[in-house]
Structure formats: structure tokens, C-alpha cells
Amino acid sequence: MENDFENELIIRDFLARQRTTLANQRTLLSYIRTALYFLVSGTALFEVKNLDHIRDLGYLSFALSLILIILGFYNYFRVRKKLRKGTYHLM
């Protein structure tokens, strides 16, 4: 079915689909990059020994990192599934 859908696309639509696929991958990478920033900042906050209440921000940073990774992969696979079905214009 996917090949039939590919054959029906004109070149403009095919290129738009390719751009959307690349944008989806780029969005996933930005989610991962942001999650890594939170992970690194959480690690740095754990290294502060003089202020105990800063440690809670480290836990929060680790939690946000995990949430961003899960959200990024969920969004990526949701959009990829719609692109494969050909219903990406209905998002």
C-alpha cells in the first residue's frame, strides 16, 4: 500500500513529504539535545555540596530529562506512523 501511495504523489508532494520526514528527525534530535542539557545540569547541581536544597533541582532536572526523552520519541513515532500511512496532512 505504501508503494501505491508513493506512486500517486507528484514530485512536489514527494519533496514535501521528504522535508516533513527530515523535519521530524530534526525535531527528535532537538528533544534529545534538550534532554541531555537537563541531564548535564542535573549532574552539575548534584556536585554542589554547600547548598542542600539545590539537590532538589537536580532531581527535577533529571525528571525533566526523562520526560523530554519519552515525549520526543513518542512524538517522533506518532508523526512517522502518520507519514507512512499518508495521513500526515491531517495532523
Side-chain angles (χ1 to χ4, degrees):
M1 178 169 160
E2 185 176 329
N3 290 335
D4 294 337
F5 182 71
E6 290 289 334
N7 292 335
E8 293 176 11
L9 293 176
I10 60 175
I11 190 70
R12 181 189 59 201
D13 293 338
F14 180 76
L15 292 174
R17 184 176 170 158
Q18 291 297 320
R19 281 192 304 272
T20 307
T21 301
L22 291 173
N24 189 31
Q25 293 171 357
R26 190 173 55 241
T27 303
L28 174 64
L29 291 174
S30 68
Y31 271 107
I32 292 171
R33 182 184 62 227
T34 305
L36 286 174
Y37 287 152
F38 276 110
L39 187 67
V40 168
S41 65
T43 304
L45 289 172
F46 272 130
E47 294 299 319
V48 177
K49 301 292 183 194
N50 296 336
L51 303 172
D52 290 333
H53 62 281
I54 295 293
R55 199 170 196 84
D56 294 337
L57 287 176
Y59 288 121
L60 178 65
S61 182
F62 283 141
L64 285 174
S65 175
L66 183 64
I67 289 170
L68 281 172
I69 286 288
I70 292 169
L71 184 66
F73 276 104
Y74 171 75
N75 184 44
Y76 172 76
F77 286 115
R78 182 179 59 87
V79 172
R80 189 176 84 168
K81 182 175 146 185
K82 286 187 177 193
L83 282 171
R84 286 192 175 169
K85 282 184 179 179
T87 58
Y88 62 96
H89 59 282
L90 300 176
M91 288 189 271

